[in-house]
Amino acid sequence: MVIFVVLASYSREGTAICVRDDSGQTVCLPAPAKRIVTLSPGATELMFSAGAGDQIVAVVAYSDYPPAALELPSVGTNTRIDMEALLALKPDLVITWVTGNPPAQVELLQELGLPLFAIEPRTFEGVSSAIERLSALAGTETEGFAEAERFRAGISELSEQYRDAEAIPVFYQVWAQPLMTINNDHLIGKVLQLCGGMNVFGGMPRLVPRISAEVVLQANPHAIITASVDGVSDDQLDLWKSYSGLSAVKRNNLFFVPASSISRPTPRLLEATRLICEKLDVARERL
């Protein structure tokens, strides 16, 4: 007898499970994965969020959250994978990053017959869905679905809270040299929008465009936000302090948020979103 359960883009047929990944491919496993390798820090964090941390046998560099991830062996970096070390672990599932892993190495893993599951959430719902799908592959649905729903509910609550917030022009600085930002298709752009921020470069075609200081001055944002280690102020925004006429500088609206939580599409994005909303509330008070 064949039984299908369709939920969060996956289905069961007997004891096997088939899940569609973020590249549009369907991955089928005969049984829940017990030896998992994650090829990005975000994938590591999502796997732990899905309740499958104990099933991870290797990660890549900078997989630093949760703390237990630091105890796991590494198979290189997300851009340079130690293929020999990875294969020696005999994983039954490898979690890849759609745009973050070298295509040639990913193709080699495919040719060697390893089950690959590609992720890259681009929306809030995409984060919840990724957790649910990963938990399905690992057989940890109880933990994973609960965490996905916690994140979903938290984002919904913030969305309702800031639904009528006064719009405020914001510039999000990804990098200082070269100067880079994000558009509204980026998940960070969606964070800004949820909080009532009007991304001054939201309409640009590239996900992470390079820009000039001149166009930032022309846009004259009322707040500038960037990420740093633990959200501690550093010198990344010092460039703008010399422009005393810039609205964000004039009102002291230069803000920092923790890099790992805002840059990784994981449940900690909820904390980062809440923090950015609070920063923009401060900026509104100073207008």
Side-chain angles (χ1 to χ4, degrees):
M1 180 178 178
V2 176
I3 299 176
F4 288 95
V5 178
V6 181
L7 188 59
S9 301
Y10 79 86
S11 62
R12 288 187 185 278
E13 181 175 352
T15 59
I17 184 166
C18 294
V19 186
R20 189 169 61 249
D21 70 10
D22 288 342
S23 71
Q25 301 299 308
T26 297
V27 179
C28 292
L29 299 179
K34 298 301 180 186
R35 297 184 60 78
I36 302 168
V37 174
T38 55
L39 298 185
S40 73
T44 301
E45 195 171 325
L46 283 169
M47 209 74 241
F48 271 92
S49 299
D54 291 342
Q55 290 146 250
I56 301 175
V57 295
V59 299
V60 289
Y62 305 108
S63 292
D64 54 7
Y65 192 89
L70 292 167
E71 306 299 320
L72 293 167
S74 172
V75 288
T77 69
N78 66 294
T79 57
R80 190 171 182 178
I81 304 160
D82 185 335
M83 301 294 282
E84 186 176 350
L86 190 159
L87 293 171
L89 291 166
K90 301 186 186 308
D92 52 15
L93 181 64
V94 178
I95 309 301
T96 66
W97 200 255
V98 175
T99 59
N101 298 137
Q105 290 195 305
V106 172
E107 289 171 11
L108 178 58
L109 291 173
Q110 288 175 322
E111 292 171 4
L112 292 170
L114 291 180
L116 307 182
F117 188 78
I119 57 172
E120 188 163 292
R122 292 284 182 88
T123 64
F124 295 120
E125 181 54 34
V127 174
S128 288
S129 173
I131 297 169
E132 290 171 344
R133 286 175 287 152
L134 290 171
S135 70
L137 288 169
T140 55
E141 291 97 331
T142 299
E143 299 93 329
F145 274 69
E147 179 61 11
E149 187 55 33
R150 184 194 70 83
F151 177 79
R152 190 178 282 122
I155 290 296
S156 178
E157 181 180 344
L158 280 176
S159 182
E160 180 63 24
Q161 180 180 347
Y162 286 91
R163 183 179 58 183
D164 299 319
E166 178 187 358
I168 181 169
V170 182
F171 164 51
Y172 187 90
Q173 179 176 293
V174 172
W175 204 250
Q177 294 293 335
L179 191 59
M180 301 171 74
T181 188
I182 45 87
N183 70 9
N184 283 341
D185 290 329
H186 197 287
L187 191 47
I188 295 175
K190 291 177 172 57
V191 169
L192 298 179
Q193 289 178 299
L194 182 150
C195 296
M198 185 177 65
N199 181 3
V200 294
F201 298 111
M204 298 194 78
R206 292 179 63 89
L207 199 66
V208 184
R210 291 190 181 189
I211 55 174
S212 65
E214 288 73 22
V215 297
V216 175
L217 296 175
Q218 185 177 6
N220 194 29
H222 292 181
I224 299 176
I225 303 174
T226 195
S228 65
V229 177
D230 298 325
V232 176
S233 299
D234 57 24
D235 61 359
Q236 291 185 82
L237 297 182
D238 285 357
L239 162 68
W240 308 113
K241 294 178 182 178
S242 61
Y243 299 103
S244 57
L246 190 61
S247 183
V249 173
K250 190 184 304 182
R251 295 170 170 81
N252 195 30
N253 290 334
L254 304 179
F255 302 117
F256 294 81
V257 292
S260 64
S261 59
I262 188 60
S263 62
R264 298 177 189 173
T266 71
R268 284 195 299 155
L269 186 64
L270 176 58
E271 304 168 20
T273 302
R274 186 174 290 116
L275 182 58
I276 284 181
C277 287
E278 291 171 357
K279 300 287 189 185
L280 293 187
D281 277 342
V282 171
R284 289 186 186 94
E285 292 172 0
R286 292 173 177 172
L287 290 180

